[in-house]
Amino acid sequence: MKVRLACVDDLNEIMELYHLVSDMMEDSAYDIGWRKDVYPTKEIVLLDIEQQTLYVLEKNEKIIGAIVLNHEYEECYQNIYWQIYAEDEEVTIIHRFCIHPDYRGCGKYLLKQIIKIAKKDGQKSIRLDVLSSNKPAICLYEKCSFLLQGHQIMDYGKPVIASLYEKII
């Protein structure tokens, strides 16, 4: 398996992955609120690629995972007492993380590689928000030593309770 920055040539394959994941999770106990052509849109993903913030996980030359790393966060992050004080540019924020349903066990590998990338880039911590009902994702984050920092009401297309996590690196 290999983690690399996404390129424009990957756009359609990444969109297929996001659509597959959103379709499979819709109306399930783990519905994350993503909807085909609503979120994430092709424009959002293209911007992620252009800004060099979108990483993909490849296995046998097939994209099986995607994750966005940047420094952008929702305003409610400021309401959390994080483990460490850090300037915005010293904190990596995870967005739009997904793994192809046939490769669920590979999420841990992708997260571990992302932690290495953030550490190499001199980051102090990694933060994220996750739908509080998304138990599989929460289990994965906790296995990778992310610690729950609190809960906030966030807009995931509708108001939801999100859990906010942090990992010091």
Side-chain angles (χ1 to χ4, degrees):
M1 286 188 287
K2 172 173 98 170
V3 175
R4 64 170 176 81
L5 276 170
C7 63
V8 175
D9 290 343
D10 298 323
L11 181 61
N12 289 334
E13 192 175 354
I14 294 166
M15 291 309 300
E16 287 173 17
L17 174 64
Y18 280 135
H19 290 161
L20 175 70
V21 170
S22 63
D23 286 350
M24 290 197 70
M25 295 186 87
E26 187 174 2
D27 298 326
S28 76
Y30 310 114
D31 189 347
I32 55 175
W34 294 0
R35 297 294 179 262
K36 190 183 289 186
D37 300 322
V38 175
Y39 184 85
T41 64
K42 197 173 228 179
E43 293 76 22
I44 289 172
V45 174
L46 182 58
L47 187 61
D48 292 337
I49 292 169
E50 289 170 348
Q51 292 177 342
Q52 296 189 326
T53 58
L54 175 55
Y55 290 81
V56 293
L57 174 61
E58 282 185 324
K59 185 172 185 174
N60 300 326
E61 298 184 25
K62 177 182 177 180
I63 294 174
I64 63 166
I67 192 168
V68 173
L69 306 178
N70 61 31
H71 305 287
E72 299 169 14
Y73 55 88
E74 297 294 323
E75 187 177 327
C76 69
Y77 273 53
Q78 296 174 359
N79 299 331
I80 298 293
Y81 292 101
W82 299 102
Q83 298 173 75
I84 187 172
Y85 172 80
E87 298 294 332
D88 290 351
E89 64 274 0
E90 298 173 314
V91 177
T92 293
I93 311 291
I94 291 177
H95 306 275
R96 294 181 279 291
F97 175 33
C98 76
I99 295 292
H100 190 290
D102 294 342
Y103 299 90
R104 287 222 197 272
C106 297
K108 186 173 183 180
Y109 176 83
L110 178 53
L111 268 183
K112 287 187 176 285
Q113 296 307 306
I114 291 311
I115 292 165
K116 288 180 186 177
I117 290 168
K119 190 178 268 189
K120 182 178 164 240
D121 288 346
Q123 299 294 284
K124 291 184 176 179
S125 79
I126 301 174
R127 297 174 182 164
L128 61 94
D129 55 86
V130 58
L131 196 60
S132 292
S133 62
N134 190 344
K135 301 303 180 199
I138 289 170
C139 183
L140 171 63
Y141 298 135
E142 290 177 351
K143 281 183 184 174
C144 292
S145 303
F146 282 79
L147 298 176
L148 177 64
Q149 300 301 295
H151 297 91
Q152 292 288 305
I153 295 176
M154 296 183 71
D155 184 1
Y156 278 43
K158 62 182 181 186
V160 297
I161 298 174
S163 300
L164 285 82
Y165 281 83
E166 181 175 44
K167 178 175 178 64
I168 304 294
I169 53 176

